[in-house]
Amino acid sequence: MSDKYIIQGGTPLKGEVSVSGSKNSALGIIAAAMALDGPCVIENLPKIQDIRVLLTICEELGAKIEWINGNTISFDPAEVKTHTAISENVSKIRGSYYLLGAFLGKFKKVSLLLPGGCDFGSRPIDLHIKGFQALGGGDLREENGIISIEANHLKGAGVFLDMISVGATINIMLAAVKAEGVTVINNAAKEPHIVDVANFLNTMGADVRGAGTDVIKITGKPYLEANRSYTIIPDQIEAGTYMIMAAMTHGDITCTNLIPKHMEPLSAKLIEMGALVEEGDDSIRVALLAEDKLKAVSFKTMPYPGFPTDLQPQATTLLTSALGTGRMIESVWENRFQYIKELQSMGANIVTSGKLAVVQGSELHGTTVFARDLRAGAALVTAGLMAKGQTTVTNVYAIERGYENFVDKLKSVRAQIEVVP
Ligand code: UD1
Protein backbone atom coordinates (compact mmCIF):
# COMPACT_ATOMS: atom_id res chain seq x y z
CA MET A 1 0.00 0.00 0.00
CA SER A 2 1.29 3.40 -0.94
CA ASP A 3 1.22 6.42 1.39
CA LYS A 4 -1.22 9.33 1.10
CA TYR A 5 -0.70 13.06 1.24
CA ILE A 6 -3.13 15.19 3.22
CA ILE A 7 -3.02 18.80 2.03
CA GLN A 8 -4.73 21.85 3.51
CA GLY A 9 -5.18 24.31 0.67
CA GLY A 10 -4.95 28.08 0.58
CA THR A 11 -1.45 28.85 1.89
CA PRO A 12 0.69 30.89 -0.52
CA LEU A 13 4.02 29.07 -0.99
CA LYS A 14 6.98 31.28 -0.13
CA GLY A 15 10.71 30.71 0.07
CA GLU A 16 13.46 28.90 -1.81
CA VAL A 17 13.53 25.44 -3.37
CA SER A 18 16.74 23.85 -4.60
CA VAL A 19 16.20 21.79 -7.74
CA SER A 20 17.55 18.21 -7.84
CA GLY A 21 19.35 16.44 -10.66
CA SER A 22 17.36 15.52 -13.76
CA LYS A 23 15.55 12.18 -13.55
CA ASN A 24 15.47 11.65 -17.29
CA SER A 25 19.16 12.52 -17.70
CA ALA A 26 20.08 10.22 -14.86
CA LEU A 27 18.24 7.27 -16.45
CA GLY A 28 20.17 7.69 -19.71
CA ILE A 29 23.47 8.33 -17.96
CA ILE A 30 23.27 5.27 -15.69
CA ALA A 31 22.53 3.09 -18.72
CA ALA A 32 25.44 4.77 -20.54
CA ALA A 33 27.69 3.98 -17.57
CA MET A 34 26.89 0.29 -18.10
CA ALA A 35 28.41 0.50 -21.60
CA LEU A 36 31.74 1.97 -20.39
CA ASP A 37 34.98 0.05 -20.03
CA GLY A 38 36.03 1.71 -16.79
CA PRO A 39 34.55 3.17 -13.61
CA CYS A 40 33.08 6.65 -13.27
CA VAL A 41 31.64 8.99 -10.65
CA ILE A 42 28.16 10.43 -11.18
CA GLU A 43 27.24 13.56 -9.20
CA ASN A 44 23.89 15.28 -8.58
CA LEU A 45 22.00 12.01 -8.96
CA PRO A 46 18.43 12.41 -7.68
CA LYS A 47 17.55 9.96 -4.90
CA ILE A 48 14.18 8.91 -6.27
CA GLN A 49 12.45 5.61 -6.82
CA ASP A 50 13.05 5.32 -10.60
CA ILE A 51 16.78 5.81 -10.08
CA ARG A 52 16.93 3.35 -7.17
CA VAL A 53 15.24 0.73 -9.35
CA LEU A 54 17.62 1.28 -12.28
CA LEU A 55 20.66 1.10 -9.95
CA THR A 56 19.30 -2.15 -8.50
CA ILE A 57 18.95 -3.57 -12.03
CA CYS A 58 22.57 -2.57 -12.77
CA GLU A 59 23.72 -4.26 -9.55
CA GLU A 60 21.77 -7.41 -10.42
CA LEU A 61 23.74 -7.44 -13.68
CA GLY A 62 27.12 -7.10 -11.95
CA ALA A 63 27.81 -3.36 -11.63
CA LYS A 64 29.54 -2.21 -8.42
CA ILE A 65 27.83 0.91 -7.13
CA GLU A 66 28.65 2.87 -4.01
CA TRP A 67 27.06 6.01 -2.62
CA ILE A 68 30.00 8.30 -1.88
CA ASN A 69 27.89 11.01 -0.32
CA GLY A 70 24.36 12.49 -0.55
CA ASN A 71 23.88 12.50 -4.32
CA THR A 72 27.12 11.07 -5.69
CA ILE A 73 27.87 7.49 -6.66
CA SER A 74 30.86 5.60 -7.94
CA PHE A 75 29.86 3.21 -10.70
CA ASP A 76 32.02 0.35 -11.94
CA PRO A 77 30.69 -1.85 -14.79
CA ALA A 78 33.81 -4.10 -14.96
CA GLU A 79 31.94 -7.20 -13.78
CA VAL A 80 28.93 -6.72 -16.06
CA LYS A 81 29.28 -9.83 -18.21
CA THR A 82 25.70 -10.57 -19.21
CA HIS A 83 23.63 -9.06 -22.00
CA THR A 84 20.35 -10.34 -20.49
CA ALA A 85 18.22 -8.07 -18.27
CA ILE A 86 14.96 -9.82 -17.48
CA SER A 87 14.38 -9.40 -13.74
CA GLU A 88 11.03 -8.08 -12.50
CA ASN A 89 12.69 -4.73 -11.76
CA VAL A 90 13.34 -4.20 -15.48
CA SER A 91 9.61 -4.05 -16.18
CA LYS A 92 8.99 -1.54 -13.39
CA ILE A 93 10.47 1.52 -15.11
CA ARG A 94 10.45 2.91 -18.60
CA GLY A 95 14.09 4.02 -18.39
CA SER A 96 15.36 0.43 -18.29
CA TYR A 97 14.94 0.33 -22.08
CA TYR A 98 18.14 2.35 -22.42
CA LEU A 99 19.94 -0.91 -21.64
CA LEU A 100 18.90 -2.00 -25.15
CA GLY A 101 21.23 0.53 -26.76
CA ALA A 102 23.91 0.29 -24.07
CA PHE A 103 24.19 -3.55 -24.31
CA LEU A 104 23.83 -3.69 -28.07
CA GLY A 105 26.85 -1.37 -28.22
CA LYS A 106 28.80 -3.22 -25.54
CA PHE A 107 28.01 -6.89 -26.28
CA LYS A 108 26.54 -6.62 -29.81
CA LYS A 109 23.51 -8.41 -28.39
CA VAL A 110 20.85 -7.80 -25.77
CA SER A 111 17.78 -9.46 -24.23
CA LEU A 112 15.46 -7.25 -22.19
CA LEU A 113 12.09 -7.64 -20.51
CA LEU A 114 9.90 -4.93 -22.01
CA PRO A 115 9.63 -1.90 -19.73
CA GLY A 116 6.71 -0.32 -17.85
CA GLY A 117 6.48 3.31 -16.68
CA CYS A 118 3.66 5.86 -16.85
CA ASP A 119 0.66 4.87 -18.94
CA PHE A 120 -0.44 7.62 -21.29
CA GLY A 121 -1.44 5.60 -24.30
CA SER A 122 0.55 3.33 -26.52
CA ARG A 123 4.32 3.69 -26.05
CA PRO A 124 5.90 1.97 -29.05
CA ILE A 125 9.65 1.49 -29.52
CA ASP A 126 9.61 0.98 -33.27
CA LEU A 127 11.92 3.96 -33.86
CA HIS A 128 14.51 2.58 -31.44
CA ILE A 129 14.39 -0.75 -33.26
CA LYS A 130 14.62 0.91 -36.66
CA GLY A 131 17.78 2.68 -35.50
CA PHE A 132 19.34 -0.52 -34.13
CA GLN A 133 18.54 -2.31 -37.38
CA ALA A 134 20.21 0.43 -39.40
CA LEU A 135 23.36 -0.17 -37.32
CA GLY A 136 23.25 -3.90 -38.07
CA GLY A 137 21.09 -5.19 -35.21
CA GLY A 138 18.91 -6.99 -37.72
CA ASP A 139 18.34 -10.21 -35.82
CA LEU A 140 15.31 -9.40 -33.65
CA ARG A 141 12.98 -11.67 -31.67
CA GLU A 142 10.19 -11.06 -29.18
CA GLU A 143 8.97 -13.84 -26.92
CA ASN A 144 7.07 -13.74 -23.61
CA GLY A 145 7.60 -10.00 -23.31
CA ILE A 146 11.37 -10.34 -23.80
CA ILE A 147 12.93 -8.59 -26.75
CA SER A 148 16.24 -9.92 -28.08
CA ILE A 149 18.42 -8.15 -30.62
CA GLU A 150 21.71 -9.32 -32.06
CA ALA A 151 24.18 -7.74 -34.49
CA ASN A 152 26.86 -9.72 -36.31
CA HIS A 153 28.68 -6.51 -36.85
CA LEU A 154 27.62 -3.15 -35.40
CA LYS A 155 28.40 -0.49 -37.97
CA GLY A 156 27.63 3.23 -38.06
CA ALA A 157 24.87 4.36 -40.45
CA GLY A 158 22.46 7.18 -41.23
CA VAL A 159 19.21 7.01 -39.24
CA PHE A 160 16.18 9.20 -39.88
CA LEU A 161 13.62 9.35 -37.08
CA ASP A 162 10.11 9.58 -38.57
CA MET A 163 8.96 11.20 -35.34
CA ILE A 164 10.96 13.16 -32.80
CA SER A 165 11.61 10.70 -29.98
CA VAL A 166 13.67 11.36 -26.86
CA GLY A 167 14.03 7.67 -26.05
CA ALA A 168 15.00 6.61 -29.57
CA THR A 169 17.57 9.42 -29.86
CA ILE A 170 19.28 8.39 -26.61
CA ASN A 171 19.06 4.65 -27.29
CA ILE A 172 20.55 4.92 -30.78
CA MET A 173 23.28 7.22 -29.43
CA LEU A 174 24.12 4.60 -26.76
CA ALA A 175 24.49 1.84 -29.35
CA ALA A 176 26.37 4.05 -31.82
CA VAL A 177 29.16 5.15 -29.44
CA LYS A 178 30.60 1.65 -29.76
CA ALA A 179 29.66 0.89 -33.37
CA GLU A 180 32.37 0.93 -35.99
CA GLY A 181 32.40 4.17 -38.01
CA VAL A 182 30.04 7.12 -38.10
CA THR A 183 26.33 7.22 -37.21
CA VAL A 184 24.21 10.23 -38.07
CA ILE A 185 20.82 10.60 -36.35
CA ASN A 186 18.57 12.94 -38.33
CA ASN A 187 15.46 14.57 -36.84
CA ALA A 188 16.89 13.88 -33.38
CA ALA A 189 15.21 15.12 -30.20
CA LYS A 190 16.83 18.21 -28.64
CA GLU A 191 15.80 17.94 -24.97
CA PRO A 192 18.31 19.13 -22.36
CA HIS A 193 18.78 15.57 -21.15
CA ILE A 194 19.84 14.44 -24.66
CA VAL A 195 22.66 16.98 -24.45
CA ASP A 196 23.43 15.79 -20.91
CA VAL A 197 23.75 12.14 -21.94
CA ALA A 198 25.95 13.18 -24.90
CA ASN A 199 28.15 15.30 -22.61
CA PHE A 200 28.48 12.39 -20.20
CA LEU A 201 29.51 10.05 -23.03
CA ASN A 202 32.03 12.57 -24.37
CA THR A 203 33.50 13.06 -20.89
CA MET A 204 33.99 9.29 -20.75
CA GLY A 205 35.83 9.18 -24.08
CA ALA A 206 33.10 8.98 -26.74
CA ASP A 207 32.77 11.24 -29.78
CA VAL A 208 29.22 12.64 -30.03
CA ARG A 209 28.66 15.94 -31.85
CA GLY A 210 25.58 18.04 -32.47
CA ALA A 211 23.47 16.98 -29.47
CA GLY A 212 20.92 19.75 -28.88
CA THR A 213 20.43 20.16 -32.65
CA ASP A 214 18.39 17.88 -34.89
CA VAL A 215 21.45 16.19 -36.40
CA ILE A 216 23.69 14.18 -34.08
CA LYS A 217 26.90 12.66 -35.41
CA ILE A 218 28.56 9.87 -33.48
CA THR A 219 31.94 8.40 -34.30
CA GLY A 220 32.16 5.00 -32.64
CA LYS A 221 35.07 3.98 -30.41
CA PRO A 222 35.94 0.39 -29.55
CA TYR A 223 36.89 1.30 -25.98
CA LEU A 224 35.50 3.94 -23.59
CA GLU A 225 38.05 4.38 -20.87
CA ALA A 226 35.90 6.46 -18.49
CA ASN A 227 37.68 7.15 -15.15
CA ARG A 228 36.08 10.58 -14.89
CA SER A 229 33.41 12.40 -12.85
CA TYR A 230 30.27 13.92 -14.31
CA THR A 231 27.58 16.15 -12.80
CA ILE A 232 23.98 15.71 -13.96
CA ILE A 233 22.01 18.85 -14.97
CA PRO A 234 19.09 20.15 -12.86
CA ASP A 235 15.64 18.70 -13.48
CA GLN A 236 13.68 20.95 -15.82
CA ILE A 237 10.34 19.35 -14.94
CA GLU A 238 10.83 19.43 -11.18
CA ALA A 239 11.77 23.12 -11.41
CA GLY A 240 8.74 23.80 -13.60
CA THR A 241 6.42 22.09 -11.14
CA TYR A 242 7.52 24.41 -8.30
CA MET A 243 7.31 27.46 -10.58
CA ILE A 244 3.71 26.54 -11.41
CA MET A 245 2.91 25.95 -7.73
CA ALA A 246 4.22 29.46 -6.91
CA ALA A 247 1.82 31.03 -9.42
CA MET A 248 -1.05 28.71 -8.48
CA THR A 249 -0.93 29.62 -4.77
CA HIS A 250 -0.29 33.37 -5.29
CA GLY A 251 3.04 32.69 -3.66
CA ASP A 252 6.65 33.75 -4.15
CA ILE A 253 9.18 30.96 -4.77
CA THR A 254 12.77 31.20 -5.92
CA CYS A 255 13.91 27.95 -7.52
CA THR A 256 17.69 27.68 -7.25
CA ASN A 257 20.22 25.42 -8.96
CA LEU A 258 18.45 25.39 -12.33
CA ILE A 259 19.31 26.42 -15.88
CA PRO A 260 17.00 29.35 -16.77
CA LYS A 261 17.35 28.66 -20.52
CA HIS A 262 15.73 25.24 -20.05
CA MET A 263 12.74 26.91 -18.39
CA GLU A 264 12.01 29.43 -21.19
CA PRO A 265 8.97 27.59 -22.64
CA LEU A 266 7.32 27.76 -19.19
CA SER A 267 8.65 31.18 -18.13
CA ALA A 268 7.19 32.74 -21.31
CA LYS A 269 3.76 31.28 -20.53
CA LEU A 270 3.80 32.35 -16.88
CA ILE A 271 4.65 35.92 -17.96
CA GLU A 272 1.84 35.81 -20.54
CA MET A 273 -0.53 34.76 -17.76
CA GLY A 274 0.52 37.72 -15.63
CA ALA A 275 2.93 36.18 -13.08
CA LEU A 276 6.20 37.84 -12.14
CA VAL A 277 9.15 35.81 -13.45
CA GLU A 278 12.64 36.99 -12.54
CA GLU A 279 15.67 35.15 -13.91
CA GLY A 280 18.99 34.97 -12.09
CA ASP A 281 22.15 33.22 -13.30
CA ASP A 282 21.04 29.86 -11.96
CA SER A 283 17.70 30.67 -10.36
CA ILE A 284 14.20 31.83 -11.22
CA ARG A 285 11.75 33.63 -8.95
CA VAL A 286 8.02 33.26 -9.67
CA ALA A 287 5.49 35.35 -7.75
CA LEU A 288 1.86 36.42 -7.94
CA LEU A 289 0.24 38.95 -5.61
CA ALA A 290 -2.76 37.87 -3.54
CA GLU A 291 -5.04 40.38 -5.30
CA ASP A 292 -3.87 39.54 -8.85
CA LYS A 293 -5.58 37.06 -11.12
CA LEU A 294 -3.88 34.97 -13.81
CA LYS A 295 -5.11 35.34 -17.41
CA ALA A 296 -6.14 32.22 -19.30
CA VAL A 297 -3.86 31.33 -22.24
CA SER A 298 -3.39 28.49 -24.76
CA PHE A 299 -0.69 25.85 -24.43
CA LYS A 300 0.47 23.23 -26.89
CA THR A 301 2.94 20.55 -25.85
CA MET A 302 5.81 19.97 -28.27
CA PRO A 303 9.28 18.44 -28.29
CA TYR A 304 11.96 20.77 -26.84
CA PRO A 305 12.24 23.76 -27.17
CA GLY A 306 8.43 23.63 -27.17
CA PHE A 307 6.31 23.39 -24.04
CA PRO A 308 7.12 20.05 -22.33
CA THR A 309 4.42 17.41 -22.15
CA ASP A 310 5.73 16.49 -18.70
CA LEU A 311 4.47 19.87 -17.43
CA GLN A 312 1.11 19.51 -19.18
CA PRO A 313 -0.93 18.21 -16.21
CA GLN A 314 0.51 20.88 -13.89
CA ALA A 315 -0.12 23.68 -16.44
CA THR A 316 -3.68 22.46 -17.11
CA THR A 317 -4.23 22.62 -13.35
CA LEU A 318 -2.85 26.17 -13.31
CA LEU A 319 -5.42 27.16 -15.96
CA THR A 320 -8.21 26.28 -13.49
CA SER A 321 -7.14 29.29 -11.40
CA ALA A 322 -7.04 31.73 -14.35
CA LEU A 323 -9.69 34.19 -15.49
CA GLY A 324 -11.38 33.17 -18.74
CA THR A 325 -11.10 30.16 -21.03
CA GLY A 326 -7.75 28.42 -21.37
CA ARG A 327 -6.74 25.69 -23.79
CA MET A 328 -4.28 22.83 -23.61
CA ILE A 329 -3.37 20.82 -26.70
CA GLU A 330 -1.41 17.65 -25.96
CA SER A 331 0.47 16.87 -29.14
CA VAL A 332 3.10 14.40 -27.86
CA TRP A 333 1.08 11.63 -26.18
CA GLU A 334 -2.19 10.17 -27.44
CA ASN A 335 -3.86 9.81 -24.03
CA ARG A 336 -2.51 12.10 -21.33
CA PHE A 337 -5.71 13.62 -19.98
CA GLN A 338 -6.91 10.76 -17.78
CA TYR A 339 -6.09 12.71 -14.61
CA ILE A 340 -8.64 15.39 -15.58
CA LYS A 341 -11.51 13.44 -14.05
CA GLU A 342 -9.74 13.75 -10.70
CA LEU A 343 -9.49 17.54 -11.17
CA GLN A 344 -13.18 17.58 -12.12
CA SER A 345 -14.00 15.88 -8.83
CA MET A 346 -12.32 18.88 -7.16
CA GLY A 347 -14.64 21.27 -9.03
CA ALA A 348 -12.53 21.98 -12.12
CA ASN A 349 -14.49 23.01 -15.20
CA ILE A 350 -12.65 21.19 -17.98
CA VAL A 351 -14.01 19.67 -21.18
CA THR A 352 -11.79 17.40 -23.27
CA SER A 353 -12.08 16.39 -26.88
CA GLY A 354 -9.31 14.16 -28.20
CA LYS A 355 -6.05 15.99 -27.64
CA LEU A 356 -7.70 19.28 -26.60
CA ALA A 357 -8.72 20.33 -23.08
CA VAL A 358 -10.74 23.52 -22.62
CA VAL A 359 -10.48 24.94 -19.11
CA GLN A 360 -12.75 27.55 -17.52
CA GLY A 361 -11.38 29.15 -14.37
CA SER A 362 -13.23 27.91 -11.28
CA GLU A 363 -12.76 27.46 -7.57
CA LEU A 364 -11.41 24.07 -6.52
CA HIS A 365 -12.42 22.24 -3.36
CA GLY A 366 -10.62 19.46 -1.53
CA THR A 367 -11.59 15.80 -1.89
CA THR A 368 -9.82 12.43 -2.26
CA VAL A 369 -8.00 11.97 -5.56
CA PHE A 370 -5.81 9.25 -7.06
CA ALA A 371 -2.31 9.95 -8.46
CA ARG A 372 -2.42 7.69 -11.52
CA ASP A 373 1.04 8.66 -12.75
CA LEU A 374 4.01 10.83 -11.83
CA ARG A 375 3.14 14.22 -13.35
CA ALA A 376 -0.61 13.73 -12.92
CA GLY A 377 0.12 13.21 -9.23
CA ALA A 378 2.18 16.41 -9.08
CA ALA A 379 -0.73 18.22 -10.73
CA LEU A 380 -3.18 16.97 -8.11
CA VAL A 381 -0.88 18.17 -5.32
CA THR A 382 -0.71 21.54 -7.13
CA ALA A 383 -4.53 21.61 -7.17
CA GLY A 384 -4.72 20.60 -3.50
CA LEU A 385 -2.40 23.45 -2.48
CA MET A 386 -4.93 25.96 -3.82
CA ALA A 387 -8.21 24.09 -3.18
CA LYS A 388 -10.59 25.05 -0.41
CA GLY A 389 -10.36 22.65 2.49
CA GLN A 390 -8.56 19.32 2.64
CA THR A 391 -7.33 17.23 -0.29
CA THR A 392 -6.17 13.65 0.10
CA VAL A 393 -3.90 12.38 -2.68
CA THR A 394 -3.57 8.59 -2.78
CA ASN A 395 -0.99 6.37 -4.52
CA VAL A 396 1.79 8.91 -3.88
CA TYR A 397 4.36 6.23 -4.78
CA ALA A 398 3.73 7.42 -8.35
CA ILE A 399 4.85 10.94 -7.41
CA GLU A 400 7.89 9.93 -5.38
CA ARG A 401 9.17 7.99 -8.40
CA GLY A 402 10.24 11.35 -9.80
CA TYR A 403 10.44 14.10 -7.14
CA GLU A 404 13.28 14.06 -4.63
CA ASN A 405 12.28 14.99 -1.04
CA PHE A 406 8.96 16.22 -2.38
CA VAL A 407 7.13 16.72 0.89
CA ASP A 408 10.13 18.23 2.71
CA LYS A 409 10.73 20.68 -0.13
CA LEU A 410 7.05 21.68 -0.11
CA LYS A 411 7.02 22.10 3.66
CA SER A 412 10.11 24.30 3.44
CA VAL A 413 8.03 26.76 1.38
CA ARG A 414 5.17 26.63 3.93
CA ALA A 415 2.91 24.09 2.23
CA GLN A 416 0.53 22.38 4.64
CA ILE A 417 1.10 18.81 3.56
CA GLU A 418 1.50 15.65 5.62
CA VAL A 419 2.31 12.07 4.67
CA VAL A 420 -0.04 9.46 6.07
CA PRO A 421 1.07 5.83 5.83
C1 UD1 B 1 10.54 10.66 -22.65
C2 UD1 B 1 10.38 10.97 -21.18
C3 UD1 B 1 8.92 11.27 -20.86
C4 UD1 B 1 8.41 12.38 -21.80
C5 UD1 B 1 8.71 12.07 -23.24
C6 UD1 B 1 8.37 13.23 -24.17
C7 UD1 B 1 12.13 9.62 -20.19
C8 UD1 B 1 12.49 8.42 -19.36
N1 UD1 B 1 10.82 9.81 -20.42
O1 UD1 B 1 9.75 9.51 -22.91
O2 UD1 B 1 8.83 11.66 -19.51
O3 UD1 B 1 7.01 12.52 -21.62
O4 UD1 B 1 10.10 11.76 -23.42
O5 UD1 B 1 9.08 14.37 -23.82
O6 UD1 B 1 12.99 10.37 -20.59
N2 UD1 B 1 7.13 7.16 -30.38
C9 UD1 B 1 6.89 6.28 -31.41
N3 UD1 B 1 7.81 5.28 -31.64
C10 UD1 B 1 8.93 5.14 -30.88
C11 UD1 B 1 9.17 6.05 -29.84
C12 UD1 B 1 8.25 7.06 -29.61
O7 UD1 B 1 5.90 6.38 -32.12
O8 UD1 B 1 9.72 4.22 -31.13
C13 UD1 B 1 6.15 8.23 -30.10
C14 UD1 B 1 5.49 8.08 -28.74
O9 UD1 B 1 4.38 7.23 -28.78
C15 UD1 B 1 5.13 9.51 -28.41
C16 UD1 B 1 6.25 10.33 -29.06
O10 UD1 B 1 6.86 9.46 -30.02
O11 UD1 B 1 3.90 9.85 -29.00
C17 UD1 B 1 7.32 10.84 -28.13
O12 UD1 B 1 7.86 9.76 -27.39
P1 UD1 B 1 9.36 9.79 -26.82
O13 UD1 B 1 9.95 11.14 -27.04
O14 UD1 B 1 10.07 8.61 -27.37
O15 UD1 B 1 9.11 9.57 -25.26
P2 UD1 B 1 9.94 8.69 -24.26
O16 UD1 B 1 11.38 8.73 -24.63
O17 UD1 B 1 9.28 7.38 -24.05
Side-chain angles (χ1 to χ4, degrees):
M1 278 290 280
S2 181
D3 293 346
K4 296 175 191 165
Y5 295 157
I6 309 270
I7 304 163
Q8 304 294 339
T11 306
L13 301 192
K14 292 196 174 161
E16 219 176 270
V17 176
S18 171
V19 177
S20 298
S22 161
K23 168 178 89 74
N24 288 346
S25 283
L27 292 169
I29 284 173
I30 292 168
M34 287 292 267
L36 302 176
D37 295 292
C40 66
V41 170
I42 306 172
E43 295 168 353
N44 203 28
L45 196 65
K47 269 189 173 155
I48 49 177
Q49 195 53 26
D50 270 21
I51 298 304
R52 287 195 193 97
V53 174
L54 185 55
L55 291 177
T56 304
I57 295 166
C58 294
E59 282 179 327
E60 288 168 358
L61 298 169
K64 295 268 169 303
I65 299 165
E66 262 178 56
W67 286 92
I68 299 176
N69 62 43
N71 293 88
T72 303
I73 57 167
S74 64
F75 191 108
D76 187 352
E79 294 302 316
V80 177
K81 307 281 188 210
T82 173
H83 66 277
T84 303
I86 55 171
S87 81
E88 195 194 345
N89 282 320
V90 177
S91 63
K92 283 188 185 159
I93 55 166
R94 186 87 189 148
S96 57
Y97 69 0
Y98 290 138
L99 292 173
L100 283 175
F103 280 1
L104 191 61
K106 186 173 185 128
F107 299 116
K108 315 302 165 220
K109 55 185 173 182
V110 56
S111 290
L112 187 104
L113 187 60
L114 286 172
C118 294
D119 167 22
F120 14 83
S122 116
R123 297 189 75 167
I125 56 166
D126 55 307
L127 297 171
H128 307 228
I129 302 294
K130 202 176 140 188
F132 298 147
Q133 288 180 328
L135 299 185
D139 187 359
L140 182 131
R141 276 168 295 124
E142 200 190 318
E143 233 175 297
N144 303 324
I146 296 170
I147 181 162
S148 299
I149 309 170
E150 194 163 345
N152 282 334
H153 182 54
L154 205 63
K155 200 165 179 316
V159 179
F160 182 86
L161 298 180
D162 302 330
M163 253 179 103
I164 297 179
S165 160
V166 171
T169 303
I170 292 182
N171 237 338
I172 296 165
M173 212 157 72
L174 292 176
V177 286
K178 284 206 155 183
E180 188 193 321
V182 178
T183 298
V184 179
I185 308 175
N186 291 290
N187 201 28
K190 298 186 276 232
E191 268 66 6
H193 48 285
I194 306 260
V195 180
D196 211 26
V197 175
N199 286 342
F200 171 82
L201 287 165
N202 286 340
T203 303
M204 301 302 155
D207 184 351
V208 181
R209 297 179 196 197
T213 74
D214 50 18
V215 182
I216 302 180
K217 187 173 159 196
I218 304 134
T219 305
K221 300 260 183 92
Y223 189 79
L224 297 176
E225 191 180 284
N227 261 312
R228 297 262 193 292
S229 294
Y230 187 82
T231 305
I232 292 175
I233 56 166
D235 196 300
Q236 178 203 18
I237 306 302
E238 186 201 11
T241 302
Y242 293 118
M243 287 167 66
I244 288 173
M245 286 174 170
M248 182 85 185
T249 62
H250 294 252
D252 189 341
I253 296 182
T254 300
C255 293
T256 59
N257 181 36
L258 53 66
I259 299 173
K261 173 102 190 118
H262 295 168
M263 306 315 302
E264 278 171 4
L266 172 62
S267 296
K269 281 292 167 193
L270 290 175
I271 292 168
E272 193 183 335
M273 292 179 83
L276 170 84
V277 178
E278 268 179 14
E279 275 187 15
D281 288 343
D282 63 355
S283 66
I284 295 186
R285 174 181 169 216
V286 177
L288 186 70
L289 294 175
E291 60 273 23
D292 284 351
K293 264 286 191 186
L294 291 169
K295 286 192 294 284
V297 296
S298 294
F299 287 86
K300 183 176 183 183
T301 66
M302 310 257 270
Y304 189 83
F307 190 84
T309 172
D310 288 351
L311 286 175
Q312 181 263 102
Q314 302 90 314
T316 304
T317 304
L318 183 63
L319 286 175
T320 66
S321 72
L323 268 184
T325 307
R327 285 182 177 73
M328 174 62 76
I329 299 170
E330 171 56 61
S331 79
V332 176
W333 295 110
E334 65 176 22
N335 192 6
R336 204 174 186 174
F337 283 144
Q338 295 120 307
Y339 68 91
I340 282 180
K341 68 176 190 318
E342 305 290 319
L343 283 182
Q344 287 163 335
S345 74
M346 298 177 75
N349 183 348
I350 306 176
V351 179
T352 58
S353 165
K355 293 185 164 191
L356 169 71
V358 179
V359 187
Q360 297 286 348
S362 59
E363 195 167 84
L364 302 182
H365 55 77
T367 183
T368 298
V369 285
F370 177 76
R372 67 181 319 283
D373 66 57
L374 170 57
R375 308 304 172 185
L380 296 174
V381 172
T382 306
L385 291 168
M386 191 52 185
K388 241 191 165 140
Q390 179 172 299
T391 300
T392 303
V393 181
T394 62
N395 195 40
V396 303
Y397 167 82
I399 303 175
E400 294 179 354
R401 277 186 42 214
Y403 288 88
E404 189 175 46
N405 298 334
F406 191 50
V407 169
D408 289 344
K409 286 190 187 185
L410 284 173
K411 281 185 169 174
S412 77
V413 288
R414 307 188 192 174
Q416 298 195 36
I417 178 167
E418 295 299 334
V419 185
V420 179

